[in-house]
Amino acid sequence: MSQPYKVIGESEYIYSIDPTNLDYNEYSGRNWAWDIASLPLDIIQVEPVLYYINSKFSIAGMGVLRIPPNRCYDWHQDDVRGVSVNMLLSSADNHSHCLFSKGRVNSDQIEIDELVYLPKKLYLFNTQISHTVINFNKPRYMFSVQFEKDKTELCFEDVSNLF
C-alpha cells in the first residue's frame, strides 16, 4: 500500500500567511464543496520546495482551504488530484484531525492513520488514499497545491521520488 503522506520541507513564508484576511469563494465538484482563497503563483518563486517541484511537475494553482467549525468531510478520494502539497495554517489550539483509511478491519470498523501536522512543515499528501477531516472548535485553514496533471497523469509516488 502506498504512503498516505510525507514531510517534504519547511516554509516560514507560507506559514506566515494570515488565512483570516483572505477572500474565500465556494469551489465545488460532483460530491464536494470547499471554501477556497486563491493565492498567487508567485509564491513558487520565493518558496524553494515549491520551486523545485514545479521544475519537474507544473503547479496549476494554490490556495487556502477553509472548513468551518464542527464539520467533517465524508471519507473520500479526490476526484481530480492524485497528489497535493499541504500545510496546516490553523493555530495550535484548533482541534481538528486528518485521518487516512488503512483498510477495513470488519464490517463496521476501519483502521486509521492520523496525519498530525507540525507547524511550518510542508506535506506531500496522497489524495488517492481514502481520507477525511474532522474539525471542531474553530475554522480550519489548509494551504494546498493543485498540479497541472490530474490523478491519471501524476501520483503521490511521482512527486515523492523527488525527495
Side-chain angles (χ1 to χ4, degrees):
M1 181 173 171
S2 184
Q3 278 183 273
Y5 59 88
K6 179 179 187 176
V7 175
I8 58 169
E10 190 169 297
S11 175
E12 288 281 343
Y13 184 84
I14 293 169
Y15 194 72
S16 72
I17 294 169
D18 180 358
T20 63
N21 286 330
L22 301 174
D23 293 322
Y24 290 85
N25 295 296
E26 185 175 285
Y27 178 66
S28 59
R30 237 176 340 142
N31 298 314
W32 52 270
W34 289 97
D35 286 341
I36 187 166
S38 294
L39 295 173
L41 287 175
D42 297 353
I43 291 172
I44 294 168
Q45 302 304 316
V46 295
E47 179 43 59
V49 172
L50 297 182
Y51 185 84
Y52 174 62
I53 293 171
N54 189 62
S55 73
K56 308 294 182 189
F57 304 107
S58 294
I59 294 172
M62 62 185 74
V64 175
L65 308 173
R66 177 179 65 189
I67 181 173
N70 302 309
R71 299 266 180 96
C72 72
Y73 286 102
D74 283 338
W75 286 97
H76 68 283
Q77 295 170 290
D78 286 18
D79 288 341
V80 177
R81 300 189 302 173
V83 61
S84 181
V85 176
N86 290 355
M87 176 188 283
L88 186 64
L89 300 177
S90 297
S91 61
D93 64 345
N94 186 41
H95 183 192
S96 68
H97 302 275
C98 176
L99 305 172
F100 288 90
S101 171
K102 293 175 82 176
R104 192 154 288 287
V105 175
N106 57 40
S107 63
D108 64 350
Q109 295 178 21
I110 57 173
E111 187 176 356
I112 59 173
D113 183 15
E114 182 174 7
L115 167 48
V116 179
Y117 284 95
L118 298 174
K120 303 177 186 176
K121 298 293 184 189
L122 287 164
Y123 291 82
L124 194 61
F125 191 98
N126 191 337
T127 63
Q128 292 306 298
I129 294 178
S130 189
H131 57 280
T132 187
V133 170
I134 302 169
N135 188 48
F136 292 98
N137 61 329
K138 296 180 178 183
R140 182 180 192 266
Y141 300 99
M142 178 67 62
F143 169 81
S144 193
V145 165
Q146 177 144 346
F147 291 96
E148 298 257 345
K149 293 181 176 181
D150 69 13
K151 68 181 182 181
T152 66
E153 303 169 301
L154 185 64
C155 68
F156 178 87
E157 289 77 13
D158 294 332
V159 183
S160 180
N161 288 336
L162 297 175
F163 297 92

